[in-house]
Amino acid sequence: MTTPGGPSTALHRPGTVGEAVAALAAEARAGRPVELLAGGTDLVPALRTGTRPPAAIVALRRVLELRVRGAGADTLTIGAGVTYTELAGWSLSPGLAATSRVVGSVQIRNCGTVGGALGSANPRGDLLTFLTAAQAEVLLTSEDGSRAAGLDDFLSAGRLPGELVTAVRVPRPSGPQTYLKIGGRQAAFPSLVSCALLVDRVRERVCCAVGGVAARPWRVAEAERLAAADVDWSTGTAPAALARRFGELAAAGVRAASPLGEDPRHPLEYRVHAAGVLAARAFARCLTARSAPRRESAP
Ligand SMILES: Cc1cc2nc3c(=O)[nH]c(=O)nc-3n(C[C@H](O)[C@H](O)[C@H](O)COP(=O)(O)OP(=O)(O)OC[C@H]3O[C@@H](n4cnc5c(N)ncnc54)[C@H](O)[C@@H]3O)c2cc1C
C-alpha cells in the first residue's frame, strides 16, 4: 500500500485512542508535522496537490472507540469517527440527521467524519453550523489527559499539539430542530449559506446559528431573544409575522459579525439576505402553528 503522503511519509496505524495519542506525541516531540487521516475527504485532495506535505500520518480507521455514539440522560455523545451516513439515520437527533443528509454526495457521507469536520474547521462546514447552534462541547485527548472545550473556544484556539478530537457532546433535543442550506450545487459542496435552528421547549428558548456569512458559524443572539420572549411556550408555536421579524434580526445580527472573506460571485449583501430568509424559514418550519385543515365546501 502506498503511504497517502508519499514514500517519505511515516504512516502510523493505531488500534486504540491510547496508541493514536502516543504516535501523535512521539511525532510532536520529534518536531515533525503530522496529520490525522479519518475519512480522507479533505486530507487526501490536499495531499495530492502537495499543499500540505506532512512528515507523518496517523490513520484512525482502525480505532473503533472513535466510532461509537451514545445517549446519556441529558446529552448525546458522538465519536469523532462517526460518519455523516451514520448520523443521517440517527433518530435521537433529528437536527444532526437533517444536517448530515445534505452533506456532499453518498461517497462523501460514507467517508467524512465528525472529527474530520472539526479538524478541517471549514467556516462553511455544515456540521460546524449545526454544532454551533447546539452549543456542542468538543472532547479532546492527549498523552497528558482528556479535556472538554466549548466549540467556540475550540474553533478560535484550535487543538494543542498531540491532541486528538475523540468526540462531540450535544444536549439531547427537547423540541423541533432543522437545518437549511443554500449551495452552489445542493448536496455537493459545503454550504454557501446555512442555518441551523433548535427549539428547546424545556428551557423555553430557540438557538439559531448561521454559516457562510461570518468568519465562523454565528449565533444570532438578538433574534434568539425575540423568540424566547414572544413564542407561546405553552403550545410551542408563534404567529407567522414573528418568523419574518426573526429573519430580519438574524440578518442584522450576522451582518454585524466579522465577515467571511469576500466572494465576488456571492457578495456579502446577498449572503446576509439569504441568511435572513433561511432563518425566517427555519423558524416557521419549527414554530409557526400549522393552519387548521380547510373544510371542503359542499359542492
Ligand atoms: C466533493 C466534496 C464535497 C463536500 N461536500 C461537503 C458538504 O456538502 N458539506 C460539508 O460540510 N463538507 C463537505 N465536504 C468536506 C468534507 O467532507 C468534511 O469536512 C469532512 O467532514 C471531513 O472529514 P474526513 O473524515 O474526511 O476528514 P479528513 O479528510 O480525514 O481530515 C480532515 C482534517 O481533519 C483532521 N482530523 C481528522 N480526524 C481528526 C480527529 N479525530 N481529531 C482532530 N483532527 C482530525 C485531519 O488532520 C485533517 O486536517 C466535501 C468534500 C468534498 C471533497
Side-chain angles (χ1 to χ4, degrees):
M1 197 189 97
T2 33
T3 307
S8 59
T9 306
L11 179 63
H12 300 268
R13 303 173 84 187
T16 63
V17 167
E19 289 172 11
V21 295
L24 282 176
E27 295 297 344
R29 275 193 295 272
R32 287 150 53 97
V34 57
E35 286 282 3
L36 291 155
L37 176 66
T41 59
D42 281 338
L43 184 62
V44 171
L47 293 176
R48 287 216 176 107
T49 57
T51 49
R52 217 156 78 186
I57 288 178
V58 178
L60 298 173
R61 190 66 62 88
R62 293 179 174 176
V63 186
L64 298 182
E65 295 157 73
L66 296 177
R67 304 184 67 171
V68 174
R69 287 168 289 171
D74 301 320
T75 56
L76 301 175
T77 304
I78 303 116
V82 171
T83 63
Y84 294 115
T85 297
E86 287 162 334
L87 288 178
W90 204 25
S91 58
L92 285 183
S93 177
L96 274 175
T99 306
S100 301
R101 279 197 292 271
V102 296
V103 169
S105 58
V106 175
Q107 293 88 336
I108 296 294
R109 292 196 292 276
N110 283 345
C111 295
T113 63
V114 170
L118 289 161
S120 292
N122 178 347
R124 293 189 197 282
D126 290 302
L127 199 62
L128 292 195
T129 304
F130 180 83
L131 293 176
T132 298
Q135 301 172 83
E137 276 187 318
V138 181
L139 309 186
L140 299 126
T141 296
S142 71
E143 272 202 327
D144 298 331
S146 299
R147 68 180 177 109
L151 180 62
D152 273 354
D153 293 340
F154 174 81
L155 291 179
S156 43
R159 61 192 166 94
L160 302 172
E163 272 188 330
L164 173 75
V165 174
T166 53
V168 289
R169 195 156 56 202
V170 293
R172 279 188 85 131
S174 54
Q177 306 184 335
T178 194
Y179 184 76
L180 302 174
K181 100 183 215 181
I182 298 174
R185 260 199 300 158
Q186 191 74 355
F189 290 105
S191 314
L192 180 60
V193 181
S194 63
C195 176
L197 188 139
L198 290 74
V199 179
D200 182 343
R201 290 196 59 175
V202 174
R203 291 174 199 79
E204 302 189 346
R205 66 182 182 183
V206 167
C207 297
C208 177
V210 167
V213 185
R216 62 169 191 252
W218 197 255
R219 287 277 296 280
V220 287
E222 206 50 46
E224 291 181 354
R225 271 194 283 279
L226 171 88
D230 289 3
V231 167
D232 175 354
W233 290 106
S234 65
T235 59
T237 59
L242 197 62
R244 215 168 29 248
R245 183 74 191 126
F246 184 87
E248 287 164 4
L249 287 176
V254 78
R255 180 184 277 113
S258 134
L260 191 60
E262 198 43 82
D263 168 357
R265 284 181 304 154
H266 308 103
L268 183 63
E269 227 14 71
Y270 164 73
R271 285 179 281 134
V272 167
H273 172 74
V277 171
L278 288 187
R281 210 173 277 168
F283 184 96
R285 193 170 280 191
C286 291
L287 286 153
T288 301
R290 282 175 182 70
S291 45
R294 271 198 305 172
R295 285 243 186 107
E296 293 300 328
S297 50

